[in-house]
């Protein structure tokens, strides 16, 4: 295991631990990630003795390094330019049923390993000279790493009940690392699912974010569904599950569809918010679902309702409510537009309107819409994607011609007032709106001259008197 420890910092810790005669180990995520060849910046050091005092001595040796001590937890943290290193004394923990906060006592290294969440997170490597690099693996974590399995050192029921956040962590690690969760664990998560309510929403959402940013997020959402957690933390997504059949007509399972769209989007972007838009784009469907004899299953205005449902979901999940929410709302509200365009004739004015409404988010909207084609019918998929190519080409042409992506009215309210010698009033809005509509319809081009001519014409229609004319 020496090859994982050839960092200068470990040698320094090792020397000081030896001279202080305390047993000292690297433990947890750093060891797991080293064995998986994943770079990690967080190092956890466990000592049988006083972790805080060791941390202070290491900091002194490094010079110019600040130690932050958390006396209540018996931990100390050092920040070097490369790493965040946390020192703690080995401990035993016992938990109270109503809280995630354990009662802590000093313990042996094995006590410390046993209280951890998964066998793969309970691996320790010795830093003392005599045993430097020796792996201490009492729960067969290395074997679980090899077989890509998440198992708990204690019984799953106890591990998850002790700290219910671990249910989210299990699903997050399974998704991030593409591991499986042992069957007993899955059952224990299902049994303890309601205990997730004692975990703060911030911690739950942090795990959701990591699931979301994984290579194949659908895996996490399938596990959340299977264990019953989804219904508790994201009931609106859970509601999309299943399908009905009436008069021989069915509709797709919108949950399975949405997580497929999410995976498709994830192949093309790391943008977390575009991924949220993919997961939530059909969120309005269950509440707008109707069966109509002549049309079959319909979900009229689910785009509009979906966008409206988002603020309360974001608020509950404690996701940011500013521009990120607005962006996801915009994509959800507009997600049907490119498809309608691709199905029908791609007219310039429809493309111009879409560009106007989507603004700079147009490329992300197209990425979402392309990902939304999850039909099993290859011919259909090909046809749609071909039409989308055409939409993208048209978008480019129209943008070059008319620059409506970040539309600014070419004639301002001030010019209108000056031209007709009027003060602020409803005429200004009427004129500006008609100019905008005419540009979007393609009746005039998006430039000052044509907009000004139209303004004069509308002013005349409204019975306004010309006071100054900039063109002649
Ligand atoms: N741990 C635990 N139960 C938790 C959280 C953490 O047992 N609810 C233990 C695990 O041994 C874990 C270590 O504390 O490896 C460090 O936790 P943390 O830094 O949160 O996670 P990592 O495992 O390092 O993984 P990541 O950085 O991906 O969150």
């Amino acid at each position: 295991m020496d090859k994982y420890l050839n960092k200068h910092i470990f040698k320094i810790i090792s020397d000081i631990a030896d001279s202080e005669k305390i047993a000292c180990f690297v433990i947890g995520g750093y060891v797991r990630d080293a064995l998986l060849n994943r770079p990690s910046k967080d190092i956890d050091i466990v000592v049988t003795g006083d972790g805080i005092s060791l941390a202070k001595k290491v900091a002194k040796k490094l010079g110019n390094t600040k130690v932050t001590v958390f006396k209540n937890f018996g931990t100390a943290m050092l920040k070097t330019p490369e790493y965040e290193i946390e020192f703690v004394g080995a401990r035993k923990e016992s938990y109270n049923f109503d809280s995630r906060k354990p009662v802590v006592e000093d313990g042996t290294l094995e006590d410390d390993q046993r209280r951890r969440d998964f066998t793969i997170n309970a691996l320790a490597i010795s830093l003392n000279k005599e045993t430097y690099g020796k792996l201490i693996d009492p729960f067969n974590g290395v074997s679980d790493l090899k077989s890509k399995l998440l198992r708990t050192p204690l019984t799953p029921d106890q591990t998850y009940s002790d700290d219910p956040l671990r249910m989210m962590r299990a699903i997050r690690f399974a998704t991030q690392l593409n591991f499986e969760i042992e069957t007993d664990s899955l059952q224990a998560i299902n049994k303890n699912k309601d205990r997730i309510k004692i975990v703060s929403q911030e911690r739950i959402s942090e795990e959701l974010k990591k699931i979301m940013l994984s290579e194949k997020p659908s895996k996490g959402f399938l596990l959340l569904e299977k264990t019953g957690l989804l219904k508790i933390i994201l009931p609106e997504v859970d509601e999309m599950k299943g399908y009905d059949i009436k008069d021989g007509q069915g509709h797709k399972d919108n949950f399975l569809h949405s997580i497929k769209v999410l995976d498709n989007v994830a192949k093309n972007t790391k943008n977390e918010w575009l991924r949220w838009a993919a997961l939530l784009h059909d969120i309005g469907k269950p509440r707008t679902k109707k069966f109509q004899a002549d049309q079959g299953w319909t979900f009229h205005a689910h785009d509009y309702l979906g966008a409206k449902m988002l603020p309360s979901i974001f608020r509950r999940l404690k996701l940011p409510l500013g521009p990120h929410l607005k962006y996801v709302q915009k994509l959800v509200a507009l997600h049907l537009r490119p498809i309608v365009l691709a199905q029908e004739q791609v007219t310039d004015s429809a493309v111009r309107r879409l560009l106007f409404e989507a603004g700079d988010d147009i490329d992300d909207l197209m990425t979402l819409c392309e990902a939304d084609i999850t039909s099993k019918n290859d011919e259909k998929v090909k046809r749609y994607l071909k039409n989308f190519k055409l939409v993208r080409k048209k978008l480019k042409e129209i943008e070059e011609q008319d620059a409506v992506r970040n539309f600014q009215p070419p004639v301002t309210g001030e010019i209108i007032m000056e031209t007709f010698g009027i003060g602020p009033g409803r005429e200004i809005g009427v004129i500006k709106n008609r100019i905008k509509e005419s540009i979007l319809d393609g009746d005039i081009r998006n430039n000052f001259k044509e907009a000004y001519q139209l303004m004069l014409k509308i002013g005349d229609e409204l019975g306004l008197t010309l006071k100054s004319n900039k063109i002649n």
Side-chain angles (χ1 to χ4, degrees):
M1 286 299 144
D2 247 38
K3 68 173 170 169
Y4 301 112
L5 297 181
N6 56 7
K7 305 236 155 58
H8 181 56
I9 183 74
F10 289 126
K11 304 271 187 229
I12 293 177
I13 299 172
S14 171
D15 286 347
I16 298 176
D18 271 351
S19 66
E20 299 291 312
K21 298 201 172 25
I22 45 181
C24 172
F25 311 85
V26 200
I27 196 162
Y30 185 87
V31 181
R32 175 200 69 222
D33 287 343
L35 291 167
L36 289 171
N37 277 322
R38 294 168 90 221
S40 167
K41 287 185 180 316
D42 295 329
I43 301 177
D44 287 322
I45 303 287
V46 92
V47 304
T48 49
D50 185 353
I52 298 178
S53 128
L54 180 65
K56 286 183 176 161
K57 292 191 170 116
V58 172
K60 197 165 167 209
K61 175 87 186 177
L62 288 169
N64 228 347
T65 306
K66 207 174 148 251
V67 190
T68 317
V69 175
F70 304 94
K71 257 223 164 85
N72 292 348
F73 297 100
T75 63
M77 200 171 70
L78 292 189
K79 268 194 189 161
T80 73
E82 271 181 288
Y83 298 106
E84 266 188 26
I85 314 170
E86 194 166 306
F87 291 78
V88 63
R91 55 200 188 178
K92 243 188 194 158
E93 282 174 358
S94 54
Y95 287 79
N96 177 322
F97 190 76
D98 299 322
S99 141
R100 287 188 58 225
K101 291 201 181 72
V103 180
V104 179
E105 299 165 54
D106 287 346
T108 62
L109 172 68
E110 192 165 329
D111 288 332
D112 195 282
Q113 288 174 295
R114 190 178 296 117
R115 73 176 178 87
R116 289 178 182 263
D117 51 3
F118 305 110
T119 60
I120 63 164
N121 287 344
L123 295 161
I125 299 178
S126 169
L127 288 181
N128 295 98
K129 199 168 267 149
E130 267 192 15
T131 45
Y132 194 80
K134 182 173 174 240
L135 184 76
I136 301 129
D137 178 16
F139 306 106
N140 297 320
V142 169
S143 146
D144 288 341
L145 269 183
K146 282 188 186 134
S147 40
K148 295 175 152 257
L149 193 63
L150 285 155
R151 260 186 340 114
T152 56
L154 295 172
T155 65
D157 198 31
Q158 184 172 349
T159 301
Y160 296 118
S161 174
D162 278 352
D163 179 359
L165 176 67
R166 291 169 171 171
M167 303 192 282
M168 292 299 298
R169 283 173 59 89
I171 293 174
R172 183 259 289 192
F173 282 121
T175 315
Q176 266 183 335
L177 304 174
N178 194 19
F179 276 34
E180 298 310 314
I181 302 176
E182 191 201 33
T183 317
D184 287 355
S185 249
L186 278 176
Q187 282 166 357
I189 296 177
N190 186 279
K191 182 174 162 216
N192 286 287
K193 59 180 182 289
D194 285 314
R195 287 185 55 67
I196 197 69
K197 291 175 186 155
I198 67 166
V199 179
S200 77
Q201 184 60 50
E202 286 83 353
R203 301 304 295 273
I204 296 174
S205 293
E206 237 173 73
E207 299 301 326
L208 273 180
K209 179 190 175 106
K210 289 179 179 171
I211 292 173
M212 211 46 151
L213 290 175
S214 301
E215 201 177 313
K216 197 164 181 238
S218 65
K219 177 160 182 156
F221 286 96
L222 284 169
L223 284 167
L224 287 171
E225 194 281 316
K226 190 169 170 183
T227 53
L229 283 167
L230 189 67
K231 199 176 178 140
I232 304 173
I233 60 178
L234 265 171
E236 300 86 350
V237 175
D238 193 73
E239 252 181 70
M240 289 198 285
K241 264 164 34 186
Y243 58 91
D244 287 311
I245 298 179
K246 204 166 172 182
D247 298 348
Q249 297 193 59
H251 62 81
K252 61 185 166 217
D253 178 318
N254 287 307
F255 169 65
L256 295 178
H257 164 71
S258 298
I259 58 175
K260 175 91 185 99
V261 177
L262 173 57
D263 280 352
N264 286 348
V265 158
K267 283 182 204 143
N268 293 314
T269 180
K270 293 207 182 329
N271 175 346
E272 183 189 348
W273 305 105
L274 181 46
R275 291 179 179 208
W276 276 106
L279 177 71
L280 301 175
H281 75 286
D282 276 344
I283 203 88
K285 274 196 168 172
R287 299 181 196 183
T288 53
K289 176 167 141 181
K290 276 204 182 73
F291 186 82
Q292 290 173 311
D294 53 338
Q295 297 178 44
W297 292 104
T298 62
F299 305 90
H300 288 313
H302 75 271
D303 42 347
Y304 170 76
L305 178 69
K308 247 179 83 174
M309 286 165 69
L310 291 174
S312 69
I313 298 177
F314 268 52
R315 204 168 297 122
R316 199 185 64 236
L317 295 181
K318 298 221 161 34
L319 297 177
L321 298 174
H324 297 303
L325 168 62
K326 283 253 144 37
Y327 165 86
V328 178
Q329 279 190 296
K330 188 199 260 185
L331 294 186
V332 172
L334 294 178
H335 82 270
L336 295 176
R337 296 279 293 278
I339 236 189
V340 173
L341 266 183
Q343 275 164 342
E344 294 167 2
Q345 230 192 0
V346 188
T347 66
D348 284 7
S349 78
V351 172
R352 211 177 281 114
R353 280 185 183 276
L354 182 62
L355 253 176
F356 170 71
E357 283 176 62
D360 277 339
D361 301 319
I362 187 69
D363 291 327
D364 291 353
L365 179 66
M366 293 305 293
T367 303
L368 171 63
C369 293
E370 281 160 358
D372 199 7
I373 312 294
T374 59
S375 163
K376 290 198 179 73
N377 177 340
D378 277 350
E379 272 312 301
K380 208 165 156 185
V381 174
K382 265 195 203 132
R383 194 172 67 241
Y384 273 122
L385 293 181
K386 199 171 138 223
N387 284 353
F388 274 138
K389 261 204 185 122
L390 193 66
V391 174
R392 279 201 190 254
K393 188 164 161 259
K394 272 265 185 231
L395 279 166
K396 204 162 166 252
E397 283 167 14
I398 299 269
E399 176 59 14
E400 274 162 15
Q401 231 178 69
D402 295 341
V404 286
R405 184 187 273 240
N406 291 310
F407 182 83
Q408 292 296 331
V411 168
T412 63
E414 256 129 59
I415 294 175
I416 300 171
M417 291 192 278
E418 198 183 302
T419 310
F420 299 111
I422 54 174
R426 66 171 271 284
E427 289 92 350
I428 320 284
V430 171
I431 295 174
K432 280 175 80 174
N433 199 41
R434 271 192 56 192
I435 292 174
K436 181 188 93 191
E437 291 296 317
S438 301
I439 291 170
L440 294 179
D441 282 341
D443 295 338
I444 63 167
R445 303 281 295 272
N446 185 15
N447 62 42
F448 179 77
K449 195 167 166 210
E450 290 184 43
Y452 194 84
Q453 293 293 5
L454 181 62
M455 172 197 72
L456 295 179
K457 185 163 162 274
I458 305 168
D460 190 42
E461 282 167 25
L462 293 174
L464 300 174
T465 335
L466 199 60
K467 285 275 158 34
S468 81
N469 191 335
K470 285 214 183 315
I471 293 269
N472 301 319

